[in-house]
Amino acid sequence: MTLTNARVWQIAREQSAIDSGCRAEDFCGDAPCIVQSRADARARRYLQLPFLCDFTSYGGNVVASVAPELRSLAAEYLARYDSVHCFETPNLHWLMRRLQPYNANVCFMAEYYLPDVDRWRQLPCRYETRVLAQAEFRELYLPQWSNALCADRPQLDMLGVGAYDGGRLIGLAGASADCDAMWQIGVDVLPGWRRQGVASALTSRLAGEILARGKVPFYCRAWSNVASGRNAIRSGFLPAWVQLTVRPEAVIDRFNRRPAEQEE
């Protein structure tokens, strides 16, 4: 079945509904929706469910997926600030202060992209490119490819596209089967080969390979990563949804430790 844009977005909302514990149509409402978060085996593999507190918006309303003890706080926050401003400072400071008694705070803030299948095209690359199967990743779980591949979940790394300069791998895009219907794209390019269109060439080709297999490619970036956002748009993707996740302070402290501190 050829995926249309309408079907791509419906699949994404259905997956977000699984992740959040709500209905897909809840992301299309006019008012905030608050649901209790629950574990679900169909959720994106890297999510740690149930959420303590998570806000997701497809650009209209906000769906809050929360633990019971944070339901009233989430309701007050969403009543106080609209769907755009609840994801930004200074309003986030209001939420962060009120999370202190729960020993929790805002942790992740990310923007997600979906392909525009009507305008997608494979972009050219000045270097040789090659489609890679899962078995070819074994020697590639290295720091320079940590966005394209995930050493913690290698069994989910299904497909890749590499760029080669004289036989040397200089860029890699990888697809992780993070849920049944959607595969996430990550990409890395070695410093000496950046700003030459390699990332977008790899990303666009991998998106086409994923679509050809009947899966929906999706792309995630931190809001501050402007280069990553430009790459997504050049590669045929459009902004789709945003997500903000609250985690315990102890978890945030672990993320903030330097490598030497983590070994202690």
Side-chain angles (χ1 to χ4, degrees):
M1 178 183 70
T2 301
L3 289 170
T4 63
N5 278 334
R7 183 58 184 148
V8 164
W9 282 70
Q10 180 62 24
I11 289 172
R13 286 192 294 266
E14 289 171 354
Q15 184 59 52
S16 291
I18 291 170
D19 300 339
S20 294
C22 64
R23 303 171 304 166
E25 55 265 34
D26 289 335
F27 295 102
C28 303
D30 296 324
C33 176
I34 302 174
V35 296
Q36 182 174 331
S37 181
R38 294 180 175 85
D40 193 317
R42 302 169 298 165
R44 280 176 280 157
R45 311 296 186 239
Y46 57 87
L47 296 180
Q48 296 187 9
L49 298 179
F51 289 124
L52 188 59
C53 181
D54 179 90
F55 299 127
T56 299
S57 176
Y58 275 77
N61 68 336
V62 177
V63 171
S65 181
V66 301
E69 62 269 25
L70 287 178
R71 187 182 186 97
S72 61
L73 175 58
E76 184 180 0
Y77 185 59
L78 295 179
R80 191 178 183 95
Y81 303 109
D82 64 26
S83 60
V84 174
H85 295 100
C86 75
F87 288 91
E88 66 177 12
T89 54
N91 302 336
L92 277 175
H93 290 291
W94 185 97
L95 176 65
M96 295 163 74
R97 284 195 295 269
R98 283 155 181 81
L99 285 168
Q100 290 176 359
Y102 301 94
N103 295 315
N105 214 327
V106 172
C107 185
F108 298 118
M109 298 172 65
E111 182 175 32
Y112 291 84
Y113 292 73
L114 290 172
D116 181 346
V117 298
D118 292 335
R119 73 179 184 92
W120 173 87
R121 64 185 178 89
Q122 183 176 315
L123 298 177
C125 186
R126 69 180 65 187
Y127 302 101
E128 174 196 0
T129 60
R130 189 186 313 160
V131 176
L132 304 175
Q134 189 178 49
E136 299 175 85
F137 297 150
R138 294 192 187 98
E139 306 301 320
L140 298 180
Y141 287 97
L142 303 168
Q144 60 265 40
W145 311 123
S146 59
N147 289 310
L149 302 173
C150 181
D152 293 335
R153 296 179 295 275
Q155 73 280 5
L156 300 181
D157 292 329
M158 308 302 292
L159 189 68
V161 177
Y164 297 84
D165 185 2
R168 180 183 179 183
L169 181 66
I170 55 93
L172 178 64
S176 175
D178 290 337
C179 43
D180 293 342
M182 301 178 69
W183 290 5
Q184 182 170 192
I185 292 178
V187 62
D188 292 290
V189 177
L190 296 182
W193 287 264
R194 293 173 185 166
R195 299 182 180 177
Q196 299 181 49
V198 176
S200 54
L202 296 178
T203 303
S204 63
R205 182 170 181 186
L206 184 55
E209 295 288 343
I210 295 170
L211 288 166
R213 288 160 174 78
K215 305 293 184 181
V216 173
F218 72 103
Y219 186 104
C220 176
R221 73 166 180 118
W223 288 345
S224 58
N225 194 338
V226 175
S228 183
R230 289 175 177 165
N231 176 58
I233 292 170
R234 280 197 304 266
S235 303
F237 287 76
L238 291 173
W241 77 95
V242 293
Q243 195 160 1
L244 182 153
T245 306
V246 170
R247 297 291 298 276
E249 288 276 12
V251 173
I252 296 172
D253 287 343
R254 287 200 296 272
F255 284 127
N256 283 330
R257 290 176 187 167
R258 296 180 180 180
E261 295 172 330
Q262 293 174 357
E263 294 174 0
E264 293 177 358

